[in-house]
Amino acid sequence: MKIITIEEHYADKRIIDATAPYGEPSYMAQLPEKVREAYNSMRFTGDKLTDVDTVRFDFMQEQKVDIQVLSYTNPVPDTVPPQEAVRICKEANDILADVVKKHPDRFAAFATLPMADPVEAARELERCVREHRFVGALITGTYQGKFYDDPMFFPIFEKAAELDVPISWHPEFPAANVQTHYYLSDNYSLSTGMQFATAGFGWHLDVGLHMTRLVLSGVFDKLPKLKFISGHWGEAIPFMLDRMDQIMRPQTTGLKKKISTYFHENIWYTPSGILSKDQLAYMVKVFGAEHIIWALDYPYVPFGTCSTDFLMNADLTDEQKEMIAHGNAEKLLKL
Ligand code: CA
């Protein structure tokens, strides 16, 4: 069966070097020194991200992946000053476009957008879709702690809806005050606290909450065709939908629909390499196989066995497997 995976990261030394002079993002600067040092040592720039022709193709062969939809890994250049962000994002997208052009049957790509300047970001999205045939964009976390329900970001979402391309929303580090208040503690180790604040728990809730803020802001009423992709099985939100519908009703929210309706209609979900039978079954039951797309979060999740076998052996019909393995991605991303 053809396999398309859509959260597969890439990095380029030129872009890492171009962003380096602008220092750490604001959320890093506010953290205690020892936490910052530990985070910086975690940043991964190895050849799994940069090398295509051997390391990445070996992985794809081992995992039986036919097509990867590529995106830049954290930190994407959205923390640099607006003028520089536009230039660096354009360069990043052109570099990624060259990778796709070299292997058009193996790769597609999500654009990186200069969120610092939403009007330019919308223009860059249009350029990437029209000139490079990119299939959407990937955004991360917040912009310097600013949430995307702020009206300043509306031009980006308006453009994505107009172009009919989805936006994939990837976690980034939660704000410093969120990390220190909720996650870091003297009662367990710093490394445990950092994992708790980020990939072990916290940054997932951060994106789930943020997605809910976007729903509550009414952006999907204004742009009914706007589509998002939410990784990690929906970043903890699917389990809260019934409660949100029960308490936050349209007469209070002023939205046209129940909160869960937007999560059913406007959002697609991926495992991001979390190969859990129970979560897969739950997501198929709640959203239907037609809203689930396969993703492995290359190169961050180690797989002892072939993850494609996990999907093929899942308790699903062949039709559901076809949808999740490639059909939904082909339809949503027009591959
Ligand atoms: Ca990822």
Side-chain angles (χ1 to χ4, degrees):
M1 193 176 292
K2 184 176 182 182
I3 301 286
I4 301 173
T5 58
I6 70 164
E7 187 190 323
E8 318 308 320
H9 298 301
Y10 180 79
D12 186 276
K13 184 82 172 39
R14 287 165 286 181
I15 300 305
I16 293 167
D17 291 346
T19 48
Y22 302 102
E24 293 171 333
S26 60
Y27 52 76
M28 294 285 280
Q30 292 157 24
L31 287 169
E33 180 66 29
K34 62 177 182 177
V35 181
R36 287 165 54 200
E37 278 172 16
Y39 272 136
N40 281 326
S41 69
M42 278 165 54
R43 300 250 165 181
F44 180 79
T45 54
D47 59 4
K48 283 184 180 171
L49 282 162
T50 55
D51 179 278
V52 171
D53 292 320
T54 51
V55 182
R56 188 176 297 265
F57 278 146
D58 282 353
F59 172 85
M60 290 170 73
Q61 187 176 1
E62 177 197 298
Q63 294 292 328
K64 303 178 192 166
V65 173
D66 296 286
I67 297 175
Q68 280 190 338
V69 179
L70 303 173
S71 52
Y72 275 89
T73 193
N74 292 354
V76 299
D78 60 359
T79 51
V80 298
Q83 319 84 290
E84 297 305 307
V86 174
R87 179 181 63 77
I88 295 170
C89 286
K90 279 185 173 172
E91 190 187 351
N93 290 323
D94 289 346
I95 288 169
L96 201 52
D98 285 342
V99 176
V100 176
K101 273 172 203 151
K102 214 172 145 196
H103 307 281
D105 53 333
R106 303 304 304 276
F107 300 120
F110 287 134
T112 292
L113 303 179
M115 303 304 278
D117 184 339
V119 172
E120 278 300 323
R123 265 191 213 130
E124 178 61 2
L125 176 59
E126 181 158 29
R127 183 183 80 91
C128 288
V129 171
R130 295 202 194 284
E131 289 180 22
H132 291 326
R133 317 304 298 168
F134 280 14
V135 295
L138 179 133
I139 64 174
T140 63
T142 57
Y143 171 65
Q144 298 278 26
K146 201 185 265 285
F147 292 107
Y148 295 140
D149 50 273
D150 189 306
M152 73 176 271
F153 297 106
F154 189 75
I156 298 170
F157 305 133
E158 195 176 32
K159 183 57 74 179
E162 181 198 316
L163 295 167
D164 195 26
V165 292
I167 295 175
S168 179
W169 203 334
H170 192 275
E172 246 291 3
F173 296 96
N177 57 351
V178 172
Q179 294 194 46
T180 50
H181 183 69
Y182 280 107
Y183 300 112
L184 304 177
S185 169
D186 293 335
N187 303 318
Y188 42 81
S189 73
L190 176 62
S191 51
T192 299
M194 287 163 55
Q195 287 174 342
F196 186 31
T198 58
F201 189 87
W203 74 12
H204 301 296
L205 286 197
D206 208 49
V207 172
L209 271 166
H210 200 166
M211 184 69 82
T212 307
R213 287 181 64 114
L214 210 64
V215 168
L216 293 174
S217 77
V219 74
F220 295 106
D221 282 341
K222 291 184 192 120
L223 303 169
K225 283 178 70 183
L226 180 61
K227 300 178 179 92
F228 272 83
I229 297 164
S230 185
H232 311 96
W233 297 124
E235 314 288 12
I237 292 303
F239 212 68
M240 289 303 294
L241 289 178
D242 291 339
R243 182 59 169 172
M244 288 201 279
D245 281 347
Q246 188 181 35
I247 301 294
M248 296 189 282
R249 296 163 183 243
Q251 52 264 51
T252 308
T253 63
L255 297 174
K256 289 184 183 160
K257 303 167 190 171
K258 287 192 298 186
I259 289 173
S260 63
T261 307
Y262 302 98
F263 282 91
H264 280 272
E265 291 179 353
N266 296 88
I267 301 167
W268 277 252
Y269 301 91
T270 84
S272 306
I274 305 173
L275 304 183
S276 156
K277 266 171 88 168
D278 291 339
Q279 290 210 353
L280 173 62
Y282 184 75
M283 294 300 284
V284 170
K285 187 162 190 284
V286 173
F287 297 99
E290 61 273 22
H291 267 255
I292 298 168
I293 300 178
W294 209 233
L296 296 184
D297 196 14
Y298 176 86
Y300 295 109
V301 182
F303 299 106
T305 54
C306 177
S307 56
T308 296
D309 294 345
F310 170 88
L311 179 59
M312 293 305 113
N313 295 331
D315 189 17
L316 299 168
T317 66
D318 286 347
E319 192 192 359
Q320 288 173 319
K321 288 176 192 169
E322 297 274 2
M323 282 195 265
I324 295 170
H326 63 97
N328 297 334
E330 285 164 341
K331 204 164 149 190
L332 184 66
L333 308 176
K334 303 183 197 83
L335 288 168

